[in-house]
Amino acid sequence: MTIDARIRELGNRHRQLEEAIRQEMIHPAADSLQLRSLKQRKLRLKEEINTLQAGAG
């Protein structure tokens, strides 16, 4: 897999997590542990994307 393809894949997963976070926050009884877990996963993806972009650029 090329670096660009990996970045696109990670970007897609990042957007999916963003949507999952948005959906979780809509609920009146949002699970704070679940939200924290989703946000941490999203942050790790963003960091990996940034690392790959820095290496590719």
Side-chain angles (χ1 to χ4, degrees):
M1 176 181 296
T2 67
I3 292 176
D4 288 339
R6 179 72 175 147
I7 291 171
R8 281 192 302 275
E9 176 191 342
L10 293 173
N12 289 337
R13 289 173 44 198
H14 185 269
R15 283 186 288 284
Q16 289 170 350
L17 282 171
E18 195 169 294
E19 179 60 22
I21 291 167
R22 191 182 71 74
Q23 288 296 321
E24 184 67 30
M25 291 177 72
I26 290 173
H27 298 294
D31 183 346
S32 61
L33 291 176
Q34 175 71 7
L35 272 173
R36 187 171 77 182
S37 174
L38 290 169
K39 288 179 179 183
Q40 287 174 339
R41 287 171 47 200
K42 182 181 164 195
L43 178 59
R44 282 193 300 272
L45 283 173
K46 185 64 174 174
E47 289 170 347
E48 188 173 349
I49 290 168
N50 288 339
T51 300
L52 288 171
Q53 287 175 334

